[in-house]
Structure formats: C-alpha cells, structure tokens
Amino acid sequence: MTRPAETLSVPKHVADLAGDREVTAVWLNDLGGVTFSLAGEEFVKVYPEQHAALLVAEAERMTWAIQYHSVPTILSTGPGWLHTAALPGRSAVDPEWVRRPRTATRAIAQGLRLLHDAAPVEACPFGTPSWIPADAPPADRLVVCHGDPCAPNTVVAEDAQCSGNVDLGDLGTQAGITDIPA
C-alpha cells in the first residue's frame, strides 16, 4: 500500500458521487485498488473487477463491526466500489503522526485494544483471517481482530486518540495476546 505518486484518473461513478467536491486519490493497494477522498468528507474505495468481491466482504464486516467499534459508515456501494463517511482525524501515516511516532503507535494499539475488547467473538460471523496459516497453533483466547492492523488503517483524531479503523476486509477471529496490560 502506498500513496499515489502521480495523478490518477477518476472513475465516472466516483466523480458522480463527488459532485462539485474535490476528488483526490489518496491510497493505492497491492491489488490495484484506489481509495479516493471526496473533499476529506467521504471516501470511495475502487477495486479492479477481478477483486470486486473483496469489497462486498469488507462491507459485510463493516456493517457488523460498527455495532461494537468505530468504523466508517457505509453510504453506498456498487460493483467494485465502496463509499463511506470519513472518520474524524487522519491516518496514522499522515505526516503529522509520522513526526510523532510514539503518539501514533499508542493510538494504533488503543484502537486495536478497543476492537478486541468490544467485539464479541461468539457473535462474530466471520472466521479466521485469510493470512492465518492452517497449521497455526491453537489459541488460548480468541478475539475479533482487524485482519490488517497496519498503521494506515488507524485513524487518529486531533486529541491523539484513535477515532476508529478502516480497511476491515479481513476482519475475523484469531488468537489474542492475553498478557498485554490495558
């Protein structure tokens, strides 16, 4: 995942959703997906056709997770795109937080801890994230995990607290670490 180094063309459905608001490509992923900001108020994630089903899975996970944790509200979806409201704040990889790595790291950990503590494993309809190997050791404690808990997927508010998480396409249950203090 990376920030776009060049100007990218804006798909028609993204331009239609934006209306007269500024559209900026803010993130590229390894699958060829692009996330566009609509004036910082909303975001539209667009995936190539061969990966479009991943956005359906992400929308299902977000719809479930929002009951327990701060994630973006889904505004609309379509074939190969997911349109969400923005969370307050900026990604933990924003230059402001890169200059303050300890603060960003605390916010990332805080957000993951809030998710683990709030989302009930027994109610989670999603299995183990795709990247967990089949031969992983048995868990001593299961938690609902983000699935891709990297810094860009944490939004940090102006008060340096986690305001929520994005990119929940691999949310599921996995072994938790039980010896980290709250």
Side-chain angles (χ1 to χ4, degrees):
M1 297 189 291
T2 185
R3 295 176 193 265
E6 59 204 41
T7 302
L8 301 175
S9 62
V10 177
K12 182 181 180 335
H13 59 278
V14 174
D16 291 346
L17 290 168
D20 61 358
R21 295 178 289 179
E22 179 183 3
V23 178
T24 307
V26 294
W27 207 252
L28 301 170
N29 70 27
D30 297 337
L31 301 175
V34 181
T35 300
F36 294 92
S37 168
L38 310 183
E41 301 164 350
E42 299 168 5
F43 291 89
V44 182
K45 185 186 285 190
V46 179
Y47 273 18
E49 185 177 333
Q50 68 268 32
H51 300 297
L54 295 173
L55 291 178
V56 173
E58 182 169 358
E60 291 170 353
R61 285 162 170 76
M62 291 172 68
T63 299
W64 180 82
I66 202 166
Q67 302 170 77
Y68 309 104
H69 186 63
S70 180
V71 303
T73 300
I74 297 172
L75 301 174
S76 60
T77 63
W81 57 272
L82 176 61
H83 175 208
T84 64
L87 292 173
R90 296 180 299 249
S91 168
V93 297
D94 181 89
E96 167 67 20
W97 304 120
V98 169
R99 285 190 297 275
R100 300 169 55 195
R102 285 177 175 244
T103 301
T105 301
R106 282 188 194 102
I108 294 165
Q110 175 194 36
L112 296 173
R113 177 59 148 214
L114 289 169
L115 173 63
H116 295 173
D117 288 349
V121 171
E122 64 280 355
C124 183
F126 311 108
T128 304
S130 63
W131 51 268
I132 302 292
D135 62 348
D140 66 334
R141 174 181 173 227
L142 288 178
V143 296
V144 173
C145 69
H146 180 280
D148 188 12
C150 58
N153 292 337
T154 300
V155 179
V156 183
E158 293 304 315
D159 65 0
Q161 302 298 305
C162 175
S163 69
N165 292 99
V166 300
D167 197 9
L168 289 117
D170 217 2
L171 179 135
T173 57
Q174 82 169 69
I177 299 173
T178 57
D179 60 353
I180 297 176

